Amino acid sequence: MSIIEMEKYKMKPKIISVSKKRQITLPIEYFKALNISNEVECIIQENCIIIKPVNDNEDTGFSEYILKDLIDEGYEGDKLLSKFKERKSKIRLAAKQLIKEADKIAEDSSPYTTMGDIFDKEG
C-alpha cells in the first residue's frame, strides 16, 4: 500500500518490531482496512516486503473450467455447487505443489531444462 493509499485509509506508516522468531504483528487498523482473514501473501519487490491479503473468495481464473468439467460429469443443482466448492478449495494447494516442482526443476544443474520439462503432464 502506497503512502497515497494509506492517506485514503487515514493511516500513517508505522514501524513495527520483529520478534526473535521473525514474527511481526500487524497493526489492527491495517488488518481491518485490508479485511485480512487467516493468510497473507508476502512478496519482495524493490527492497521491500509487500504483505497482501489472500482472499479465499478471489477467483483464481479456473472457475469456468471447473464448472465446465463438473457439468460435463453430469453434476447439477446443489451437488454441482458442493463439488464446485470442493474442487475450487484444492486449487491453491495444487498451485503451490506446481510451484514447488517447478522450483526443483529450476534448481537442477542440467543446462537443458525446458518449459516442457516444468509443465509437461507426463514428466
Side-chain angles (χ1 to χ4, degrees), residues 18 63 76:
V18 179
S63 294
E76 55 186 44

Side-chain angles (χ1 to χ4, degrees), residues 63-79:
S63 294
E64 186 176 326
Y65 298 108
I66 294 170
L67 281 171
K68 183 180 180 331
D69 286 348
L70 292 171
I71 291 167
D72 289 347
E73 292 171 26
Y75 291 103
E76 55 186 44
D78 289 341
K79 192 69 173 173

Side-chain angles (χ1 to χ4, degrees), residues 33-70:
L34 296 174
N35 197 27
I36 296 172
S37 59
N38 60 349
E39 287 187 318
V40 294
E41 178 180 16
C42 293
I43 303 163
I44 295 178
Q45 186 176 10
E46 297 177 17
N47 203 30
C48 295
I49 299 174
I50 299 171
I51 300 173
K52 63 186 236 180
V54 173
N55 184 347
D56 290 335
N57 297 324
E58 192 173 281
D59 188 1
T60 56
F62 294 105
S63 294
E64 186 176 326
Y65 298 108
I66 294 170
L67 281 171
K68 183 180 180 331
D69 286 348
L70 292 171

